[in-house]
Amino acid sequence: AMAASVCKSYRDYKPDNAPEVAKRAIEYCECVVCFDEMWKEQAGLFVTSSNEAACPHLLHLKCAQDVCDNSRGGKTCPVCRAPFDGVRAVPILGDDPDGWFNAIDLNNDGCLSKKDVVAVLKAQLPMDYRRFEAEIDGFWKIWDIKMTGFIDKEEFLAPDRGLLAFVNKNFPQAGGVRPVPDIRSDKTAWFKYFDEDGSEGLEEEEIVRALIKTFELSDSAQKIAAIRDIVRAVWPIFDYDGSG
């Protein structure tokens, strides 16, 4: 397990030792449980018994609660394996920006670093995240009004020059993702679509993600659980060399 001090930093939002499918979901701003886009639903954080964030990872609130309710062998984050005791809802940014900022300010220091901003906004706003990541260095001096190297709540929420207003205005979501090839008519293209690292192999959870996205099952926790159970049951038949 990763150390708690590391887990409570957005610097390691996509940890090297996370499951590959979780890294993929984070890269594409998806919930790591249902693989639907994070911004579509209210987010939740895993918390300790003292209601402090156990780690930085944002999931859909209902998915985080499902992980909490159905954990086997101890409650741990599916990304970084940090132990937790419960789930806390993250206020919706458009409804309660002040409460939202407080919720994602993990260390309660009243400010966000550049890495914090990238990780959090990718997971919370329908935005062109690739362009945002590429251009954030050039825009930082606009948002960092007090020139401290960090963005505090006032700078984040400022109506005109604030980071949130700027992102909403200048980084609208890019025009859709490449459609999933039809698995029935072109199985090779379908496999290559999800084999994004070109390894010519998909791990068990990558197959789960692929099936969920192919058949658009993200909105049904029951169907997601059923897909996972089916893949787990048949996996030894197809993974005949035991490579995973």
Side-chain angles (χ1 to χ4, degrees), residues 92-180:
I92 296 171
L93 181 53
D95 296 342
D96 183 7
D98 188 75
W100 181 88
F101 188 97
N102 292 339
I104 54 88
D105 178 17
L106 297 181
N107 299 310
N108 298 313
D109 59 3
C111 62
L112 300 174
S113 71
K114 196 178 296 183
K115 288 186 180 294
D116 295 345
V117 166
V118 170
V120 170
L121 293 189
K122 276 182 64 175
Q124 291 281 271
L125 294 177
M127 61 186 290
D128 185 347
Y129 64 88
R130 293 189 187 280
R131 189 163 73 89
F132 181 68
E133 288 181 306
E135 298 181 13
I136 188 171
D137 287 342
F139 289 121
W140 191 256
K141 60 181 177 292
I142 298 174
W143 307 322
D144 184 15
I145 300 167
K146 302 173 186 176
M147 296 184 290
T148 61
F150 296 89
I151 302 294
D152 64 21
K153 187 186 297 185
E154 184 181 356
E155 292 169 319
F156 185 84
L157 299 174
D160 299 316
R161 193 178 167 185
L163 189 153
L164 180 59
F166 187 94
V167 170
N168 283 333
K169 180 180 178 181
N170 294 283
F171 291 89
Q173 189 177 28
V177 296
R178 190 163 52 95
V180 177

Side-chain angles (χ1 to χ4, degrees), residues 35-56:
F35 304 114
D36 204 4
E37 293 167 293
M38 275 297 305
W39 64 268
K40 289 183 177 180
E41 295 192 28
Q42 185 173 8
L45 277 169
F46 296 121
V47 294
T48 64
S49 57
S50 58
N51 205 37
E52 294 183 354
C55 71

